[in-house]
Amino acid sequence: MNDDERFMREALKQAERSAAEGEIPVGCVIVRDGVIISRGRDRRKKDHSVLSHAELNAVKKACKKLGDWRLEDCSMYVTLEPCQMCSGAIVQARIPRLYIGAMNPKAGCAGSVLDMMHEDRFNHRVYVTYGILESECSEILKSFFKKMRARSAAEKTAKSEKAEIVEIAAKAAKVSKPEKSEKAAGTDE
């Protein structure tokens, strides 16, 4: 196993932690001089924040650890191609190398939807390596979303069944309730 695979496996461990917490399984590590200096995973639900993506969490920790907003001598390993927000942070932090596991054809901004890493109008460009442990990175996402869809379908079915039971119970209550007689209703004839 080479270093790129070793570091991507560490990012996958973060993705697995996210999945176990019910979060989108994306994980990330930032490496400097062959040593992991920060780890990040998606925590949007837990943190109640759209900003809590794996890459941003890892960047924030790395900047704090190094005491600088520039991460010019670092590399990032991430299991899923970064979105526009995270791609912007990678460029702004001056991270020179990015290693991506799986591509993100719906929201990826390192080559899929946009390519913010190689935008000539920016003052910094990022060298990107694609497909590190691609099948493993892709599989954890596919598995997560398959389980999520199945859970959603089961919840929808249970909700529908509950509504049907309530409706049947309401009809049964109507049928078994005797009509009030006029005398009982207070008329005197």
Side-chain angles (χ1 to χ4, degrees), residues 7 14 30 37 62 79 144 180:
F7 293 132
Q14 294 301 306
I30 295 180
I37 63 166
T79 59
F144 176 82
K180 290 184 181 179

Side-chain angles (χ1 to χ4, degrees), residues 54-172:
E55 301 93 326
L56 295 184
N57 289 329
V59 166
K60 185 176 180 179
K61 290 175 188 174
C63 288
K64 185 173 184 177
K65 183 169 188 159
L66 297 179
D68 194 354
W69 61 269
R70 291 180 193 90
L71 301 175
E72 294 171 320
D73 53 352
C74 297
S75 298
M76 177 183 281
Y77 292 79
V78 63
T79 59
L80 181 66
E81 179 185 7
C83 70
Q84 68 275 26
M85 175 176 65
C86 295
S87 293
I90 292 164
V91 170
Q92 290 296 314
R94 311 292 196 267
I95 296 173
R97 293 193 57 86
L98 174 65
Y99 298 85
I100 297 172
M103 295 304 283
N104 184 352
K106 293 184 179 180
C109 290
S112 289
V113 176
L114 296 173
D115 189 354
M116 293 175 65
M117 303 302 156
H118 302 105
E119 176 55 56
D120 291 335
R121 293 171 290 181
F122 291 159
N123 63 341
H124 177 73
R125 276 164 273 326
V126 180
Y127 180 81
V128 183
T129 302
Y130 302 94
I132 308 293
L133 301 180
E134 183 175 12
S135 61
E136 291 96 326
C137 292
S138 182
E139 186 54 41
I140 192 171
L141 287 157
K142 287 178 186 175
S143 175
F144 176 82
F145 285 113
K146 184 177 181 181
K147 288 175 187 172
M148 191 173 80
R149 284 189 293 277
R151 188 171 41 249
S152 178
E155 288 170 358
K156 194 180 273 186
T157 300
K159 196 176 193 179
S160 176
E161 288 172 354
K162 184 178 178 182
E164 191 175 322
I165 291 168
V166 168
E167 185 179 329
I168 291 169
K171 286 179 183 177

Side-chain angles (χ1 to χ4, degrees), residues 4-12 78 99-101 132-133:
D4 292 343
E5 290 175 350
R6 181 170 59 93
F7 293 132
M8 189 61 75
R9 289 208 185 284
E10 291 299 319
L12 273 165
V78 63
Y99 298 85
I100 297 172
I132 308 293
L133 301 180

